[in-house]
Amino acid sequence: MQNYLFLNNDFFDITIYQYGREPCKPYHTFGPAIRNHYLIHCILSGKGVYRAKAQGQSAEYHLHKGQAFLIEPNHIVHYSADGNDPWEYAWIEFDGLKAKEFLSHAGLSHGCPIFNASTENGWLEAFSPLLYMLGHPDMLPAQTMGYAYLFFGSLMEHSATARPLPRDDIKKFYVQSTAGYIENHYMENITIEDIASHLGLNRCYFSKLFKKMTQKSPQEFLITYRVHKACEYLRSTDLTIAEIANQVGYPNQFHFTRAFKSIMQLPPNEWRKRNRQL
């Protein structure tokens, strides 16, 4: 099994958390469980079954080499390898401002989670950027992100269900402006009201617009950004947890620890220990 953490979170359109490759044993199973971010599993060989619930209905997909399946956050899923011909897959865990848009353009969603290539060998083109990432784990973060974008571009290009998205430039402008404002002021005691005021929008309208465009509330995005910045300090400095909390806009260490654990599933001290050993 290959498994690479991506320890650079300076990219907001697409944020990569980790990616890997796994040849599964017969009947190898995950779930039922909920994921915190998007995942795509690209099936390189073998077969398996993916199960999920959409709009209250259970769905079961029998999948094989050349297909891929999407897992959206906050949905219960279950998948298992075939007993006689277990699958091997490459996978990537991600999120970000553009995640929903890229997936929609590829025709993928929780209700339609299966990638099929538009041509017989299109899956080879679609999966190749991810496989290149796995074969070159020592690339610079910017290079890794470049291949990640190529991967999403290839999914859009070669998906049998790809569809164009409507243009919505002004809403995208507000989302990008929000990201820029948070990038410049995350260390301050900013509020959602401050961001909305900066954009000249009503707070309620701003929150609804941002969530519709990104699937995250502005508060969730702010917390995630601060936690990712805290990870940089934890990994590269000897600052105390209280000092790091202050650096990323949390004067209260308890509130910082709670927010950090909600995103990274570990308290800050434990995350620091694990990631300094990598």
Short mmCIF file of all heavy atoms in Angstrom, two decimals, residues 26-87:
data_model
loop_
_atom_site.label_atom_id
_atom_site.label_comp_id
_atom_site.label_asym_id
_atom_site.label_seq_id
_atom_site.Cartn_x
_atom_site.Cartn_y
_atom_site.Cartn_z
N PRO A 26 -8.80 -10.22 -0.86
CA PRO A 26 -10.20 -10.62 -1.09
C PRO A 26 -11.10 -10.20 0.07
O PRO A 26 -10.74 -10.34 1.25
CB PRO A 26 -10.10 -12.15 -1.19
CG PRO A 26 -8.71 -12.40 -1.69
CD PRO A 26 -7.86 -11.34 -1.04
N TYR A 27 -12.23 -9.63 -0.27
CA TYR A 27 -13.26 -9.18 0.68
C TYR A 27 -12.81 -8.02 1.57
O TYR A 27 -13.48 -7.71 2.56
CB TYR A 27 -13.75 -10.34 1.57
CG TYR A 27 -14.31 -11.50 0.80
CD1 TYR A 27 -13.63 -12.73 0.77
CD2 TYR A 27 -15.50 -11.39 0.09
CE1 TYR A 27 -14.14 -13.81 0.06
CE2 TYR A 27 -16.01 -12.47 -0.63
CZ TYR A 27 -15.33 -13.68 -0.63
OH TYR A 27 -15.84 -14.74 -1.34
N HIS A 28 -11.68 -7.38 1.23
CA HIS A 28 -11.27 -6.21 2.02
C HIS A 28 -12.40 -5.18 2.00
O HIS A 28 -12.93 -4.83 0.95
CB HIS A 28 -10.00 -5.60 1.42
CG HIS A 28 -9.61 -4.29 2.06
ND1 HIS A 28 -8.99 -4.21 3.28
CD2 HIS A 28 -9.79 -3.01 1.64
CE1 HIS A 28 -8.77 -2.94 3.58
NE2 HIS A 28 -9.26 -2.19 2.61
N THR A 29 -12.75 -4.67 3.19
CA THR A 29 -13.96 -3.85 3.33
C THR A 29 -13.66 -2.55 4.07
O THR A 29 -12.86 -2.53 5.01
CB THR A 29 -15.04 -4.63 4.10
OG1 THR A 29 -15.40 -5.80 3.35
CG2 THR A 29 -16.29 -3.79 4.32
N PHE A 30 -14.32 -1.48 3.65
CA PHE A 30 -14.33 -0.22 4.41
C PHE A 30 -15.78 0.16 4.68
O PHE A 30 -16.62 0.13 3.80
CB PHE A 30 -13.67 0.90 3.62
CG PHE A 30 -13.78 2.24 4.32
CD1 PHE A 30 -12.86 2.62 5.27
CD2 PHE A 30 -14.84 3.10 4.05
CE1 PHE A 30 -12.97 3.83 5.94
CE2 PHE A 30 -14.97 4.32 4.70
CZ PHE A 30 -14.03 4.68 5.65
N GLY A 31 -16.06 0.54 5.94
CA GLY A 31 -17.37 1.04 6.31
C GLY A 31 -18.28 -0.05 6.88
O GLY A 31 -17.85 -1.19 7.09
N PRO A 32 -19.55 0.35 7.09
CA PRO A 32 -20.15 1.64 6.80
C PRO A 32 -19.51 2.77 7.61
O PRO A 32 -19.24 2.62 8.80
CB PRO A 32 -21.62 1.47 7.21
CG PRO A 32 -21.83 -0.01 7.28
CD PRO A 32 -20.52 -0.58 7.69
N ALA A 33 -19.25 3.89 6.96
CA ALA A 33 -18.57 5.01 7.61
C ALA A 33 -18.83 6.28 6.82
O ALA A 33 -19.34 6.25 5.69
CB ALA A 33 -17.07 4.74 7.72
N ILE A 34 -18.46 7.40 7.43
CA ILE A 34 -18.60 8.72 6.82
C ILE A 34 -17.22 9.33 6.64
O ILE A 34 -16.38 9.26 7.54
CB ILE A 34 -19.48 9.64 7.70
CG1 ILE A 34 -20.91 9.13 7.74
CG2 ILE A 34 -19.44 11.08 7.19
CD1 ILE A 34 -21.81 9.91 8.68
N ARG A 35 -16.97 9.91 5.49
CA ARG A 35 -15.71 10.61 5.23
C ARG A 35 -15.90 12.11 5.46
O ARG A 35 -17.01 12.65 5.31
CB ARG A 35 -15.28 10.39 3.78
CG ARG A 35 -14.94 8.95 3.45
CD ARG A 35 -13.69 8.48 4.13
NE ARG A 35 -13.13 7.30 3.47
CZ ARG A 35 -11.98 6.74 3.81
NH1 ARG A 35 -11.28 7.25 4.80
NH2 ARG A 35 -11.52 5.68 3.15
N ASN A 36 -14.80 12.79 5.81
CA ASN A 36 -14.86 14.22 6.07
C ASN A 36 -14.61 15.07 4.83
O ASN A 36 -14.92 16.27 4.82
CB ASN A 36 -13.83 14.61 7.13
CG ASN A 36 -14.14 13.99 8.47
OD1 ASN A 36 -15.26 14.08 8.96
ND2 ASN A 36 -13.15 13.34 9.07
N HIS A 37 -14.03 14.45 3.78
CA HIS A 37 -13.72 15.18 2.55
C HIS A 37 -14.12 14.33 1.36
O HIS A 37 -14.56 13.19 1.50
CB HIS A 37 -12.22 15.51 2.49
CG HIS A 37 -11.69 16.17 3.72
ND1 HIS A 37 -12.02 17.46 4.06
CD2 HIS A 37 -10.85 15.72 4.70
CE1 HIS A 37 -11.42 17.78 5.18
NE2 HIS A 37 -10.70 16.75 5.59
N TYR A 38 -13.98 14.89 0.17
CA TYR A 38 -14.23 14.12 -1.04
C TYR A 38 -13.11 13.10 -1.25
O TYR A 38 -11.95 13.37 -0.96
CB TYR A 38 -14.26 15.05 -2.26
CG TYR A 38 -15.41 16.02 -2.30
CD1 TYR A 38 -15.24 17.34 -1.88
CD2 TYR A 38 -16.66 15.64 -2.79
CE1 TYR A 38 -16.29 18.24 -1.94
CE2 TYR A 38 -17.71 16.54 -2.85
CZ TYR A 38 -17.52 17.84 -2.42
OH TYR A 38 -18.56 18.73 -2.48
N LEU A 39 -13.48 11.94 -1.80
CA LEU A 39 -12.50 10.96 -2.26
C LEU A 39 -12.93 10.41 -3.60
O LEU A 39 -14.13 10.23 -3.84
CB LEU A 39 -12.33 9.79 -1.27
CG LEU A 39 -11.58 10.07 0.02
CD1 LEU A 39 -12.56 10.34 1.14
CD2 LEU A 39 -10.70 8.88 0.39
N ILE A 40 -11.96 10.14 -4.44
CA ILE A 40 -12.20 9.41 -5.68
C ILE A 40 -11.29 8.19 -5.67
O ILE A 40 -10.08 8.31 -5.41
CB ILE A 40 -11.93 10.28 -6.91
CG1 ILE A 40 -12.99 11.37 -7.04
CG2 ILE A 40 -11.91 9.42 -8.18
CD1 ILE A 40 -12.76 12.31 -8.20
N HIS A 41 -11.86 7.02 -5.93
CA HIS A 41 -11.11 5.78 -6.05
C HIS A 41 -11.13 5.35 -7.52
O HIS A 41 -12.21 5.17 -8.10
CB HIS A 41 -11.75 4.67 -5.20
CG HIS A 41 -11.56 4.84 -3.72
ND1 HIS A 41 -12.08 5.91 -3.04
CD2 HIS A 41 -10.90 4.08 -2.80
CE1 HIS A 41 -11.76 5.79 -1.75
NE2 HIS A 41 -11.04 4.70 -1.59
N CYS A 42 -9.96 5.20 -8.11
CA CYS A 42 -9.82 4.80 -9.51
C CYS A 42 -9.42 3.33 -9.56
O CYS A 42 -8.34 2.97 -9.06
CB CYS A 42 -8.76 5.65 -10.21
SG CYS A 42 -9.12 7.43 -10.16
N ILE A 43 -10.24 2.50 -10.15
CA ILE A 43 -10.02 1.05 -10.13
C ILE A 43 -9.04 0.66 -11.24
O ILE A 43 -9.33 0.84 -12.43
CB ILE A 43 -11.35 0.29 -10.28
CG1 ILE A 43 -12.33 0.74 -9.19
CG2 ILE A 43 -11.11 -1.22 -10.20
CD1 ILE A 43 -13.75 0.28 -9.42
N LEU A 44 -7.89 0.13 -10.84
CA LEU A 44 -6.83 -0.20 -11.78
C LEU A 44 -6.89 -1.65 -12.24
O LEU A 44 -6.40 -1.99 -13.33
CB LEU A 44 -5.47 0.07 -11.14
CG LEU A 44 -5.28 1.47 -10.55
CD1 LEU A 44 -3.93 1.59 -9.86
CD2 LEU A 44 -5.44 2.53 -11.63
N SER A 45 -7.47 -2.51 -11.42
CA SER A 45 -7.64 -3.92 -11.78
C SER A 45 -8.66 -4.53 -10.82
O SER A 45 -8.96 -3.96 -9.77
CB SER A 45 -6.31 -4.69 -11.70
OG SER A 45 -5.83 -4.71 -10.36
N GLY A 46 -9.19 -5.67 -11.21
CA GLY A 46 -10.10 -6.38 -10.33
C GLY A 46 -11.49 -5.79 -10.26
O GLY A 46 -11.89 -4.93 -11.05
N LYS A 47 -12.24 -6.25 -9.24
CA LYS A 47 -13.65 -5.88 -9.09
C LYS A 47 -13.98 -5.64 -7.63
O LYS A 47 -13.24 -6.02 -6.72
CB LYS A 47 -14.54 -7.00 -9.63
CG LYS A 47 -14.36 -7.29 -11.11
CD LYS A 47 -15.30 -8.38 -11.59
CE LYS A 47 -14.94 -9.74 -11.01
NZ LYS A 47 -15.77 -10.83 -11.58
N GLY A 48 -15.12 -5.00 -7.42
CA GLY A 48 -15.60 -4.76 -6.07
C GLY A 48 -16.99 -4.15 -6.10
O GLY A 48 -17.58 -3.95 -7.17
N VAL A 49 -17.51 -3.85 -4.91
CA VAL A 49 -18.86 -3.31 -4.77
C VAL A 49 -18.81 -2.04 -3.93
O VAL A 49 -18.13 -1.99 -2.89
CB VAL A 49 -19.80 -4.33 -4.09
CG1 VAL A 49 -21.20 -3.74 -3.94
CG2 VAL A 49 -19.86 -5.62 -4.89
N TYR A 50 -19.52 -1.02 -4.39
CA TYR A 50 -19.64 0.24 -3.66
C TYR A 50 -21.11 0.47 -3.33
O TYR A 50 -21.98 0.36 -4.20
CB TYR A 50 -19.11 1.39 -4.53
CG TYR A 50 -19.33 2.78 -3.95
CD1 TYR A 50 -18.85 3.12 -2.71
CD2 TYR A 50 -20.02 3.75 -4.68
CE1 TYR A 50 -19.03 4.39 -2.18
CE2 TYR A 50 -20.21 5.03 -4.17
CZ TYR A 50 -19.71 5.34 -2.92
OH TYR A 50 -19.90 6.59 -2.40
N ARG A 51 -21.39 0.77 -2.06
CA ARG A 51 -22.76 0.98 -1.61
C ARG A 51 -22.88 2.34 -0.94
O ARG A 51 -22.01 2.74 -0.17
CB ARG A 51 -23.19 -0.10 -0.62
CG ARG A 51 -23.14 -1.53 -1.18
CD ARG A 51 -23.54 -2.56 -0.13
NE ARG A 51 -23.50 -3.91 -0.66
CZ ARG A 51 -22.42 -4.69 -0.63
NH1 ARG A 51 -21.30 -4.22 -0.10
NH2 ARG A 51 -22.45 -5.90 -1.13
N ALA A 52 -23.97 3.03 -1.24
CA ALA A 52 -24.20 4.36 -0.66
C ALA A 52 -25.70 4.63 -0.64
O ALA A 52 -26.48 3.96 -1.33
CB ALA A 52 -23.48 5.43 -1.47
N LYS A 53 -26.08 5.62 0.16
CA LYS A 53 -27.47 6.05 0.21
C LYS A 53 -27.58 7.43 -0.41
O LYS A 53 -26.80 8.32 -0.10
CB LYS A 53 -27.98 6.08 1.64
CG LYS A 53 -28.32 4.72 2.22
CD LYS A 53 -29.03 4.84 3.56
CE LYS A 53 -29.45 3.47 4.08
NZ LYS A 53 -30.17 3.59 5.37
N ALA A 54 -28.55 7.60 -1.29
CA ALA A 54 -28.80 8.90 -1.91
C ALA A 54 -30.29 9.18 -1.84
O ALA A 54 -31.10 8.37 -2.30
CB ALA A 54 -28.32 8.91 -3.36
N GLN A 55 -30.64 10.32 -1.25
CA GLN A 55 -32.03 10.73 -1.09
C GLN A 55 -32.85 9.64 -0.43
O GLN A 55 -33.99 9.34 -0.83
CB GLN A 55 -32.61 11.10 -2.45
CG GLN A 55 -31.89 12.27 -3.12
CD GLN A 55 -32.43 12.62 -4.48
OE1 GLN A 55 -33.11 11.81 -5.10
NE2 GLN A 55 -32.15 13.82 -4.95
N GLY A 56 -32.26 9.02 0.59
CA GLY A 56 -32.96 8.01 1.37
C GLY A 56 -33.00 6.64 0.74
O GLY A 56 -33.49 5.68 1.35
N GLN A 57 -32.48 6.50 -0.49
CA GLN A 57 -32.50 5.22 -1.19
C GLN A 57 -31.10 4.60 -1.20
O GLN A 57 -30.12 5.29 -1.45
CB GLN A 57 -32.99 5.41 -2.62
CG GLN A 57 -34.39 5.99 -2.75
CD GLN A 57 -35.45 5.06 -2.21
OE1 GLN A 57 -35.42 3.85 -2.46
NE2 GLN A 57 -36.40 5.62 -1.45
N SER A 58 -31.02 3.31 -0.95
CA SER A 58 -29.74 2.60 -1.00
C SER A 58 -29.42 2.23 -2.44
O SER A 58 -30.30 1.83 -3.20
CB SER A 58 -29.80 1.34 -0.15
OG SER A 58 -29.98 1.67 1.22
N ALA A 59 -28.15 2.40 -2.80
CA ALA A 59 -27.70 2.05 -4.15
C ALA A 59 -26.49 1.15 -4.04
O ALA A 59 -25.65 1.33 -3.16
CB ALA A 59 -27.38 3.30 -4.95
N GLU A 60 -26.39 0.18 -4.94
CA GLU A 60 -25.27 -0.75 -4.95
C GLU A 60 -24.68 -0.79 -6.36
O GLU A 60 -25.42 -0.97 -7.34
CB GLU A 60 -25.73 -2.14 -4.52
CG GLU A 60 -24.62 -3.18 -4.48
CD GLU A 60 -25.08 -4.50 -3.89
OE1 GLU A 60 -25.35 -4.53 -2.67
OE2 GLU A 60 -25.19 -5.48 -4.65
N TYR A 61 -23.37 -0.59 -6.45
CA TYR A 61 -22.70 -0.52 -7.74
C TYR A 61 -21.63 -1.62 -7.81
O TYR A 61 -20.72 -1.66 -6.97
CB TYR A 61 -22.05 0.84 -7.94
CG TYR A 61 -22.99 2.00 -7.76
CD1 TYR A 61 -23.12 2.63 -6.53
CD2 TYR A 61 -23.74 2.49 -8.83
CE1 TYR A 61 -23.97 3.71 -6.36
CE2 TYR A 61 -24.60 3.58 -8.67
CZ TYR A 61 -24.71 4.18 -7.43
OH TYR A 61 -25.55 5.24 -7.26
N HIS A 62 -21.73 -2.49 -8.79
CA HIS A 62 -20.73 -3.53 -9.01
C HIS A 62 -19.74 -2.98 -10.04
O HIS A 62 -20.09 -2.78 -11.21
CB HIS A 62 -21.39 -4.82 -9.49
CG HIS A 62 -22.25 -5.46 -8.44
ND1 HIS A 62 -21.82 -6.51 -7.66
CD2 HIS A 62 -23.50 -5.16 -8.01
CE1 HIS A 62 -22.77 -6.85 -6.80
NE2 HIS A 62 -23.80 -6.04 -6.99
N LEU A 63 -18.50 -2.78 -9.61
CA LEU A 63 -17.53 -2.02 -10.40
C LEU A 63 -16.34 -2.87 -10.81
O LEU A 63 -16.06 -3.92 -10.21
CB LEU A 63 -17.06 -0.80 -9.60
CG LEU A 63 -18.18 0.11 -9.07
CD1 LEU A 63 -17.61 1.21 -8.20
CD2 LEU A 63 -18.98 0.68 -10.23
N HIS A 64 -15.62 -2.39 -11.81
CA HIS A 64 -14.50 -3.15 -12.36
C HIS A 64 -13.42 -2.21 -12.87
O HIS A 64 -13.58 -0.97 -12.83
CB HIS A 64 -14.98 -4.06 -13.50
CG HIS A 64 -15.75 -3.33 -14.57
ND1 HIS A 64 -15.15 -2.52 -15.52
CD2 HIS A 64 -17.09 -3.25 -14.83
CE1 HIS A 64 -16.04 -2.01 -16.32
NE2 HIS A 64 -17.24 -2.42 -15.92
N LYS A 65 -12.35 -2.78 -13.35
CA LYS A 65 -11.21 -2.04 -13.89
C LYS A 65 -11.67 -0.97 -14.89
O LYS A 65 -12.51 -1.21 -15.73
CB LYS A 65 -10.28 -3.01 -14.59
CG LYS A 65 -9.12 -2.39 -15.34
CD LYS A 65 -8.31 -3.46 -16.05
CE LYS A 65 -7.20 -2.88 -16.91
NZ LYS A 65 -6.41 -3.93 -17.58
N GLY A 66 -11.11 0.24 -14.73
CA GLY A 66 -11.42 1.32 -15.64
C GLY A 66 -12.51 2.25 -15.15
O GLY A 66 -12.71 3.32 -15.73
N GLN A 67 -13.21 1.87 -14.10
CA GLN A 67 -14.21 2.73 -13.51
C GLN A 67 -13.63 3.43 -12.28
O GLN A 67 -12.55 3.09 -11.80
CB GLN A 67 -15.46 1.94 -13.11
CG GLN A 67 -16.20 1.33 -14.28
CD GLN A 67 -17.44 0.57 -13.85
OE1 GLN A 67 -17.34 -0.45 -13.18
NE2 GLN A 67 -18.61 1.07 -14.24
N ALA A 68 -14.33 4.42 -11.78
CA ALA A 68 -13.95 5.10 -10.54
C ALA A 68 -15.22 5.43 -9.79
O ALA A 68 -16.31 5.50 -10.38
CB ALA A 68 -13.15 6.37 -10.83
N PHE A 69 -15.10 5.63 -8.47
CA PHE A 69 -16.28 6.03 -7.70
C PHE A 69 -15.95 7.18 -6.76
O PHE A 69 -14.85 7.28 -6.22
CB PHE A 69 -16.90 4.84 -6.94
CG PHE A 69 -16.02 4.16 -5.94
CD1 PHE A 69 -16.04 4.51 -4.60
CD2 PHE A 69 -15.20 3.11 -6.34
CE1 PHE A 69 -15.25 3.85 -3.67
CE2 PHE A 69 -14.39 2.44 -5.42
CZ PHE A 69 -14.43 2.81 -4.07
N LEU A 70 -16.93 8.07 -6.65
CA LEU A 70 -16.81 9.27 -5.82
C LEU A 70 -17.45 9.03 -4.46
O LEU A 70 -18.55 8.48 -4.37
CB LEU A 70 -17.50 10.45 -6.51
CG LEU A 70 -17.72 11.70 -5.66
CD1 LEU A 70 -16.40 12.40 -5.38
CD2 LEU A 70 -18.70 12.65 -6.35
N ILE A 71 -16.77 9.49 -3.41
CA ILE A 71 -17.35 9.55 -2.07
C ILE A 71 -17.45 11.01 -1.69
O ILE A 71 -16.45 11.73 -1.70
CB ILE A 71 -16.46 8.80 -1.05
CG1 ILE A 71 -16.34 7.32 -1.43
CG2 ILE A 71 -17.03 8.95 0.36
CD1 ILE A 71 -15.35 6.56 -0.58
N GLU A 72 -18.66 11.46 -1.38
CA GLU A 72 -18.84 12.84 -0.93
C GLU A 72 -18.81 12.87 0.59
O GLU A 72 -19.17 11.89 1.26
CB GLU A 72 -20.18 13.40 -1.43
CG GLU A 72 -20.14 13.80 -2.89
CD GLU A 72 -21.28 14.75 -3.25
OE1 GLU A 72 -22.16 14.98 -2.41
OE2 GLU A 72 -21.28 15.26 -4.39
N PRO A 73 -18.38 14.00 1.19
CA PRO A 73 -18.34 14.08 2.65
C PRO A 73 -19.73 14.00 3.26
O PRO A 73 -20.73 14.38 2.65
CB PRO A 73 -17.69 15.45 2.90
CG PRO A 73 -17.85 16.21 1.63
CD PRO A 73 -17.87 15.21 0.53
N ASN A 74 -19.76 13.47 4.48
CA ASN A 74 -20.96 13.43 5.32
C ASN A 74 -22.06 12.51 4.79
O ASN A 74 -23.24 12.72 5.08
CB ASN A 74 -21.51 14.85 5.52
CG ASN A 74 -20.47 15.79 6.10
OD1 ASN A 74 -19.76 15.43 7.03
ND2 ASN A 74 -20.37 16.99 5.54
N HIS A 75 -21.68 11.50 4.02
CA HIS A 75 -22.61 10.47 3.58
C HIS A 75 -22.07 9.11 4.01
O HIS A 75 -20.87 8.85 3.94
CB HIS A 75 -22.77 10.49 2.06
CG HIS A 75 -23.50 11.68 1.53
ND1 HIS A 75 -24.87 11.81 1.59
CD2 HIS A 75 -23.04 12.81 0.94
CE1 HIS A 75 -25.23 12.96 1.06
NE2 HIS A 75 -24.14 13.59 0.65
N ILE A 76 -22.97 8.23 4.43
CA ILE A 76 -22.56 6.88 4.83
C ILE A 76 -22.28 6.05 3.58
O ILE A 76 -23.13 5.96 2.69
CB ILE A 76 -23.64 6.21 5.69
CG1 ILE A 76 -23.85 7.00 6.99
CG2 ILE A 76 -23.26 4.76 6.00
CD1 ILE A 76 -24.99 6.48 7.85
N VAL A 77 -21.10 5.46 3.54
CA VAL A 77 -20.72 4.62 2.40
C VAL A 77 -20.11 3.32 2.90
O VAL A 77 -19.67 3.20 4.05
CB VAL A 77 -19.73 5.34 1.47
CG1 VAL A 77 -20.35 6.59 0.88
CG2 VAL A 77 -18.43 5.68 2.21
N HIS A 78 -20.07 2.35 2.00
CA HIS A 78 -19.49 1.04 2.31
C HIS A 78 -18.98 0.46 1.00
O HIS A 78 -19.66 0.52 -0.03
CB HIS A 78 -20.58 0.13 2.91
CG HIS A 78 -20.14 -1.29 3.11
ND1 HIS A 78 -20.22 -2.25 2.13
CD2 HIS A 78 -19.63 -1.91 4.20
CE1 HIS A 78 -19.77 -3.40 2.61
NE2 HIS A 78 -19.42 -3.22 3.85
N TYR A 79 -17.74 -0.05 1.00
CA TYR A 79 -17.25 -0.68 -0.22
C TYR A 79 -16.34 -1.85 0.13
O TYR A 79 -15.69 -1.86 1.19
CB TYR A 79 -16.54 0.30 -1.15
CG TYR A 79 -15.51 1.23 -0.53
CD1 TYR A 79 -14.15 0.91 -0.57
CD2 TYR A 79 -15.88 2.42 0.06
CE1 TYR A 79 -13.19 1.77 -0.04
CE2 TYR A 79 -14.95 3.28 0.60
CZ TYR A 79 -13.61 2.95 0.55
OH TYR A 79 -12.66 3.80 1.09
N SER A 80 -16.34 -2.85 -0.75
CA SER A 80 -15.58 -4.07 -0.46
C SER A 80 -15.06 -4.68 -1.75
O SER A 80 -15.68 -4.57 -2.82
CB SER A 80 -16.45 -5.09 0.28
OG SER A 80 -17.60 -5.39 -0.47
N ALA A 81 -13.91 -5.33 -1.64
CA ALA A 81 -13.27 -5.97 -2.78
C ALA A 81 -13.94 -7.32 -3.07
O ALA A 81 -14.48 -7.98 -2.18
CB ALA A 81 -11.78 -6.18 -2.51
N ASP A 82 -13.91 -7.71 -4.32
CA ASP A 82 -14.43 -9.01 -4.72
C ASP A 82 -13.63 -10.13 -4.06
O ASP A 82 -12.42 -9.99 -3.82
CB ASP A 82 -14.35 -9.13 -6.24
CG ASP A 82 -15.00 -10.39 -6.76
OD1 ASP A 82 -16.24 -10.42 -6.83
OD2 ASP A 82 -14.27 -11.35 -7.08
N GLY A 83 -14.30 -11.25 -3.79
CA GLY A 83 -13.61 -12.36 -3.14
C GLY A 83 -12.66 -13.11 -4.05
O GLY A 83 -11.64 -13.64 -3.59
N ASN A 84 -12.96 -13.17 -5.33
CA ASN A 84 -12.12 -13.92 -6.27
C ASN A 84 -11.17 -13.04 -7.07
O ASN A 84 -10.07 -13.47 -7.42
CB ASN A 84 -13.02 -14.70 -7.24
CG ASN A 84 -13.87 -15.74 -6.53
OD1 ASN A 84 -13.38 -16.46 -5.65
ND2 ASN A 84 -15.15 -15.80 -6.88
N ASP A 85 -11.60 -11.84 -7.38
CA ASP A 85 -10.78 -10.92 -8.18
C ASP A 85 -10.78 -9.55 -7.51
O ASP A 85 -11.40 -8.60 -8.00
CB ASP A 85 -11.35 -10.84 -9.60
CG ASP A 85 -10.49 -10.02 -10.55
OD1 ASP A 85 -9.32 -9.77 -10.20
OD2 ASP A 85 -10.99 -9.64 -11.63
N PRO A 86 -10.10 -9.42 -6.35
CA PRO A 86 -10.17 -8.17 -5.59
C PRO A 86 -9.54 -7.01 -6.34
O PRO A 86 -8.55 -7.17 -7.06
CB PRO A 86 -9.38 -8.49 -4.31
CG PRO A 86 -8.45 -9.59 -4.70
CD PRO A 86 -9.20 -10.40 -5.72
N TRP A 87 -10.13 -5.86 -6.17
CA TRP A 87 -9.65 -4.69 -6.90
C TRP A 87 -8.37 -4.09 -6.31
O TRP A 87 -8.07 -4.25 -5.13
CB TRP A 87 -10.71 -3.63 -7.02
CG TRP A 87 -11.38 -3.15 -5.75
CD1 TRP A 87 -10.93 -3.25 -4.46
CD2 TRP A 87 -12.65 -2.49 -5.67
NE1 TRP A 87 -11.83 -2.69 -3.58
CE2 TRP A 87 -12.89 -2.21 -4.29
CE3 TRP A 87 -13.60 -2.09 -6.59
CZ2 TRP A 87 -14.05 -1.56 -3.86
CZ3 TRP A 87 -14.74 -1.45 -6.15
CH2 TRP A 87 -14.96 -1.19 -4.80
#
